[in-house]
Structures are given as C-alpha cells and as structure tokens.
Amino acid sequence: MNARSLYAVSSIAAVLALGACHKKVAPAPAPAPAPTQAAPAPPPPPPTTAAPTNTGADMASARDAARASLTAPIYFDLDSDALSDADRASLDAKVGILNASPGVKIRVAGHTDERGSDEYNLALGQRRAAAAKRYLTQHGVPDASIDIISYGEEHPAMDGHDEAAWSKNRRDEFEITAGADALKPAAQ
Amino acid sequence: MIALIRSDLLPARTPRLCFALAMALCLAPFMSRAQDTTHAVRIGLTYQPGTKPGVIVLAVRGAWGDSIQGIIARDLDYGDRVEVIGLPGTPAASSLEGIGPGVSYPLWKSLNAAAAVQATVTSSGVHVAVHDVTGRKIVQVADFPLPPTGGSTEWRLAVHGVADEVEQWITGTRGVAQTRILFVRGGRVYVVDSDGFGERLISDAGLSLSPAWAPDGHTISYSVLGSRGWSIVTKDVAGGAGHTLPSTTTGLNTTPAFSPNGLTLAYSHGDEAGTDLMLVDLAGGGPRRITVGHGSDNTSPEFSPNGRRIAFTSGRAGHPEVYIMDVDGSNVELLTPFNFGDQNYRSNPDWAPDAQHIAFESQIGGIFQIMVISLRDRSVKQLTSEGVNEDPAWAPDARHLVFTSSRTGVKQLFILDSESGRARQLTHAGGARLAAWSRSLGHGR
C-alpha cells in the first residue's frame, strides 16, 4: 500500500469514526465516502504526544498507549454479539491505530460467560469475534490484518459465579499477532 | 423373542417398558448380539408384580472369584431392573457381597429372591447358572470365555458382558454394563468403564471438547483447539495417532457426531458468518452445509437411530432451542417450544436409542436441568433438580442417561435411571463434563 492510499484509508476511517456511523458500511475504500449525518461526537482517540520532535521515551510511551488501546477488550450483553456504544468507541480507536500501523496484525478472541451450553458458547464466542472483525473491516482495516477465534467459556477473565464475573467474561480480547514493533498511534 | 415376555413378570410400568424394549430390539443391532453367545430367552421367574425381582449373586470360588461376584452384583444393581439381595444384617455397604455358594432354595426364598446367579470359574472363563428360586431349578446356563489376564481392563469388560447377559435372562433386557463413557476433564478427553473403573486419557495435546463415539465402539471423534482454530479429530480409543478431518483445518469446527452407519460425520462449522451444521463422508469428499442459519449459531447435531433425522441446537429464533430436521437439512421443526421473551434456553439434544425420546438440557430460572421429550406426544419430563445438570447422553438401553452435574460443587458425571430417578456418581476426581456413552461393547474389543 503506498502512502497515498494509506492516507486515503486513514482519512476514510477518521471520517467514519467521527460520524460514529452505526450503519453497515461497504468495506471497499471508495475514493469519497458517503457523507455521514451529524452525530454526537464520539470519544476522541486517545491523546498522544506523537510529534516529529519526540524523544525515544515519548515514542515508547505513545506505543504503549497505542498497544493498550488496541488490546483493550470489549464487552457484551448476555447471549448477544451486539456492539454497544462503548464497544464502538473502543473499536474506533483500534481502527485509527491499525490504519496508522500497516503491518500490524491482530487476532480477535471471542469469549462467553460460564452460563449456557459449553458447546453453544463456542459458537457464541465466534459470533462475538466476528462482530468485532466485521466492524473493523467495515471501517477500513484490511481483512487480512484480522483473524478470529472463539474460546467459548473455556478461558474466563475472572473467576466467580455472579454477574460481576460474568460481565467481565462476555468479551472480545485483542491480541497483536504480528508487527508489534510497527505500532503507531492513530493519526491526528 | 418379544412374545416370551410374560406380563405377570413385569412391574407396574409395563406398557412403556415393554414398548421401549420392543423398539430397542427392533432398532438396535447390538441388542440382538445377545443371541450370538447363547440362545437368550426370558426365563420364567415368579415374583411380586410391581416390584423388581430379587436376585442373589452367590459367592464365586477360585481365581478372581470375588471380583467376578462383585462385578456381576454391582452391574445388576446399577442396571436398576432387579433388586440385588445380600445376607440379612449385613451393612448396606456390603449388601452386594455374595451369599455362600451352596444351593439353598429355602434360604433364598426366605430372602425374597426370585433368582440366584451361580458363577463357577472354569479353565477358559466362567460358567454361569441362573436358578429359579420358586421353581427350585436351574433355568439358564452358559459358558463365557474370559481373557486370561484376570483383573485387566479387557477382563473386566468381559465380566460386564456376563452381567449384561444375566440381566437379559432375568429381565428380558440386556444390561448396559459392558459399555464405556467418553468425557472431558481439564480440557482432555478420557474414557471410563460404565462402573467408574479403568479411567484413562485418550486425547493428545490441545484443549479438546465434545467427544463422540462411532458405532464401531472404538473410533471416536472430538474437537481440538489449535493455533488456527478448532478442528475435528478422529482417533482409535485403543491408541494411535489422531487424524484431523481435512475440511476442518480453519475456523470453528466442533461437536462431531457419527451417523448410525458410521459413514458420515456431522459437525458444526463457524466462520465470520455464523455457525452452521455440515455433513462429510468419512471416506472422502467435501463437506455439505445442511443448515442455513443466516448468521445464527447451529451446533450439537445428533442423529436419530435410523440416521434419517438430526436433532441440533440453533439460535435462529434469537436464543438457543432444540430443533429436528431431515438429514439433508429439509423439514426443520422446532422441538422445544418456548414463550416469547423467555430468557431461558434449551440445548444439547441426544436422541434415545429407542428413537422415541430426545434428552436435552433446559434452563429453569437460568439453571440447566435434564429433560426428556417424547416424540410421540411431545410431553416433557424433568429428570433432575439438584444443582446444575447438563449434557445428557443416553445409554444403549434408552433408559439410563449420563450427564454433567454440579451437585457436589464440582462438575462431575452422574448416571441417572430415567425410570426410577435413581442417580449414581460416575467420576470423582478433577471434574468431568461432556459425556458420550458407547454402544454395547461385546464381542471382540
């Protein structure tokens, strides 16, 4: 991907992110995205200090922030793969980082809480992982940059048998599988 | 064979049991295997109608005699069709110990026994005679070969076969002791004998779930988590390398189920557009998708005994329910009705070998319990209430079920007699779930 097309993709992603569009968007990066309606401003991407004059320490710190943002989990309601507003905001931030960091690949892992059938929960986790990937690719992240996997209820984030644990276990986790060194903050 | 069942011998639940027996005899090829070793017929015992016949298992002299007596007595007890009688005054724990080997019809009669099982160790195995206590005569005899390795796993399996045959003589229905159960512990697949002995690890490295038996009684299949997703593996339970099904190397591939003829495998395949059921010929060829889930989840297929229909779990109505359909994917039918807005759901069907019932798990107030639905009139019966109970799998007799229960605080396998409600714990260490019950394993392996 050359610099121009990269810029185009980033711009599209930025516009889409600003629009906080809940509609499904064609994955093809058209030259000019369809105008989006005004909508409440989404949370801005994580502030960064990235600038040409950054010191090495600043850059490392920015990379850590980008990594934290990219790998932040998103959470789901019971037996649902629907993305909440908070999920979308988190995914928008990931779109910015991924589009600024060509070469970075991620794996989305879908998880469920312990309730429900062990076997059905594998399919539910798959659906949750697919929902996040679909959102990311619809916002310009290349399909090949993301793979998905489901762990069902097999790997809870939090032990416990109450809603406090369950709500933390109904999640997608995001793992950087390639290009971690190339991680950059989202373009301003 | 069915005509030999005398109505005065059957307990109160006769009509249903009789029908189930008739269906089992017609439909389950392994049931007729009893005829291979002996001319098994129902022997004419006399006992109180509406009760289980009392049976004494006499002490057995000779090498491994105590073990033979103990295994037969416990198998008959676990079979739930007879009342195993011990000596009066013995503690409950030792009530299955044998009564002296001498023939004493008056003593047996005083203990309310209808039958006495007399086993004698021979050079090649064991000779078994069944006495009719009221008629004061031997009504059935047979010789059973046993492996020379007394106490070994295969020897125990052969003794279980003796017990199953004796149960057939006395009750008209073959026992299910000579069977094994696959399950998952700590993310690995294990096998255990029906009486809880002989547990051993089967699967290779990798988180493994949802084991299933092939009808040959030794090939198994399960799903394994690898670096690229979940794949389906087939393996011989006796050992050897596992084989990954070629169509399952990417994405989510889980819940394998063999067709009754062993030629086809059904499984669920998930990608970025939902999870659908697939069929693949084990001899080769590409998989065929048999559900159109439109992005919903379709999992846990189980064939009907004649192989023409499949029961499965689907989320197509917004939450999981059990459906049945033709094996080609047509004629899909919701099996488990629900109320709109119901937060509870139903899943994990298992088609009974009698073809007339499907067991499944149903949430009640969010807690799974084991249920059985009749395919005849769609009546539903709840079988459990203590703890969380899930993943039911039928025994070959279409009467007993193995399932996962949390009633002890840890998930373990329990076996339930769906007629009497009697339950026993099968596994004890380390937790266990996702059980699958083999066919009857007589003859050969």
Side-chain angles (χ1 to χ4, degrees):
Chain A
M1 186 181 280
N2 62 34
R4 186 178 298 171
S5 65
L6 180 66
Y7 174 77
V9 168
S10 305
S11 305
I12 293 163
V15 169
L16 292 174
L18 284 170
C21 179
H22 291 198
K23 293 175 192 165
K24 294 193 174 180
V25 178
T36 53
Q37 297 167 359
T48 71
T49 56
T53 55
N54 267 349
T55 64
D58 286 342
M59 290 180 67
S61 158
R63 191 156 63 226
D64 287 349
R67 182 195 307 275
S69 180
L70 186 55
T71 58
I74 62 173
Y75 298 96
F76 295 88
D77 288 339
L78 177 63
D79 195 24
S80 171
D81 66 342
L83 299 174
S84 66
D85 288 347
D87 291 342
R88 287 195 181 86
S90 177
L91 291 170
D92 288 338
K94 298 181 202 310
V95 166
I97 295 162
L98 287 168
N99 286 336
S101 312
V104 171
K105 295 188 175 185
I106 63 166
R107 164 172 284 193
V108 187
H111 296 262
T112 72
D113 69 28
E114 64 175 350
R115 294 173 294 173
S117 148
D118 300 7
E119 294 174 345
Y120 184 82
N121 277 343
L122 285 168
L124 175 58
Q126 181 85 3
R127 191 146 46 88
R128 285 176 175 162
K133 174 169 180 174
R134 193 178 311 120
Y135 187 92
L136 295 173
T137 55
Q138 283 169 351
H139 290 75
V141 179
D143 181 89
S145 298
I146 310 167
D147 71 3
I148 65 170
I149 197 164
S150 172
Y151 293 107
E153 65 180 84
E154 304 299 324
H155 292 158
M158 183 181 286
D159 290 331
H161 307 291
D162 54 20
E163 182 56 29
W166 295 330
S167 63
K168 291 297 181 197
N169 292 335
R170 297 188 298 263
R171 71 201 190 278
D172 277 346
E173 291 189 349
F174 299 82
E175 178 194 358
I176 300 168
T177 54
D181 292 345
L183 201 56
K184 292 185 177 60
Q188 292 284 8
Chain B
M1 195 163 184
I2 293 162
L4 293 171
I5 298 170
R6 286 169 40 181
S7 61
D8 59 334
L9 299 177
L10 290 167
R13 55 177 177 264
T14 295
R16 182 175 164 192
L17 178 62
C18 189
F19 180 73
L21 174 63
M23 292 307 296
L25 289 171
C26 292
L27 293 171
F30 48 79
M31 287 287 189
S32 65
R33 285 171 173 270
Q35 295 175 341
D36 296 346
T37 45
T38 64
H39 295 285
V41 295
R42 175 147 184 158
I43 55 181
L45 300 177
T46 305
Y47 60 94
Q48 191 73 31
T51 65
K52 297 192 285 190
V55 174
I56 288 170
V57 182
L58 303 180
V60 180
R61 291 197 179 119
W64 296 98
D66 289 351
S67 295
I68 292 170
Q69 190 278 335
I71 291 170
I72 293 174
R74 192 170 45 236
D75 286 350
L76 291 176
D77 177 48
Y78 285 171
D80 294 305
R81 288 187 173 85
V82 304
E83 192 73 43
V84 178
I85 296 172
L87 274 178
T90 44
S94 59
S95 66
L96 300 182
E97 283 178 14
I99 292 175
V103 173
S104 177
Y105 291 118
L107 170 64
W108 301 344
K109 183 80 180 168
S110 73
L111 297 174
N112 291 320
V117 179
Q118 182 180 34
T120 311
V121 176
T122 67
S123 59
S124 63
V126 65
H127 174 86
V128 179
V130 172
H131 296 258
D132 171 5
V133 173
T134 303
R136 291 172 170 253
K137 64 183 181 196
I138 291 175
V139 286
Q140 185 69 261
V141 294
D143 283 290
F144 298 88
L146 295 179
T149 49
S152 69
T153 305
E154 295 316 302
W155 181 88
R156 291 187 64 93
L157 191 67
V159 177
H160 289 314
V162 175
D164 286 348
E165 190 85 359
V166 167
E167 191 170 325
Q168 167 119 23
W169 293 345
I170 295 172
T171 69
T173 300
R174 186 172 175 83
V176 292
Q178 196 178 25
T179 57
R180 288 182 170 141
I181 290 165
L182 295 167
F183 65 94
V184 173
R185 168 180 297 149
R188 310 290 291 276
V189 175
Y190 288 75
V191 69
V192 65
D193 291 353
S194 70
D195 62 352
F197 280 76
E199 227 174 60
R200 61 192 164 89
L201 175 66
I202 300 294
S203 64
D204 303 316
L207 177 57
S208 301
L209 297 175
S210 306
W213 290 99
D216 64 13
H218 57 91
T219 307
I220 68 166
S221 183
Y222 51 91
S223 58
V224 182
L225 177 64
S227 59
R228 299 174 63 198
W230 293 84
S231 51
I232 303 284
V233 165
T234 57
K235 197 175 200 292
D236 195 302
V237 76
H243 302 281
T244 301
L245 204 63
S247 59
T248 65
T249 53
T250 61
L252 176 74
N253 301 281
T254 61
T255 61
F258 289 90
S259 64
N261 65 10
L263 300 178
T264 306
L265 197 75
Y267 63 96
S268 69
H269 171 77
D271 50 28
E272 290 164 24
T275 298
D276 276 304
L277 298 184
M278 315 292 279
L279 277 188
V280 67
D281 291 333
L282 288 165
R288 313 187 290 285
R289 189 164 67 117
I290 53 168
T291 56
V292 185
H294 298 295
S296 68
D297 300 329
N298 299 274
T299 67
S300 307
E302 289 290 342
F303 285 89
S304 65
N306 68 8
R308 290 184 188 150
R309 306 210 84 196
I310 287 177
F312 62 105
T313 307
S314 176
R316 63 188 62 192
H319 70 285
E321 293 290 343
V322 175
Y323 294 76
I324 53 179
M325 66 180 176
D326 290 350
V327 73
D328 64 0
S330 62
N331 295 318
V332 182
E333 185 184 350
L334 174 67
L335 182 68
T336 47
F338 59 96
N339 295 321
F340 188 76
D342 188 355
Q343 285 288 310
N344 292 302
Y345 76 70
R346 285 144 284 274
S347 51
N348 278 16
D350 193 55
W351 214 305
D354 69 3
Q356 298 301 304
H357 300 89
I358 289 176
F360 60 99
E361 60 194 25
S362 177
Q363 288 177 328
I364 297 174
I367 306 294
F368 276 123
Q369 300 298 347
I370 307 297
M371 319 286 275
V372 172
I373 186 167
S374 162
L375 293 174
R376 187 156 284 268
D377 60 8
R378 300 291 162 101
S379 60
V380 176
K381 184 178 169 188
Q382 182 178 343
L383 298 182
T384 59
S385 56
E386 184 184 359
V388 180
N389 301 283
E390 48 194 330
D391 311 325
W394 290 100
D397 63 359
R399 169 168 169 161
H400 291 87
L401 287 153
V402 62
F403 60 97
T404 307
S405 181
S406 70
R407 63 188 65 183
T408 62
V410 179
K411 283 185 176 180
Q412 295 287 3
L413 301 186
F414 282 73
I415 289 175
L416 177 74
D417 173 21
S418 65
E419 294 280 342
S420 68
R422 183 183 180 214
R424 65 180 168 97
Q425 188 169 346
L426 179 68
T427 59
H428 295 269
R433 59 187 170 132
L434 296 169
W437 206 319
S438 77
R439 69 153 170 83
S440 187
L441 297 174
H443 301 271
R445 313 175 73 106

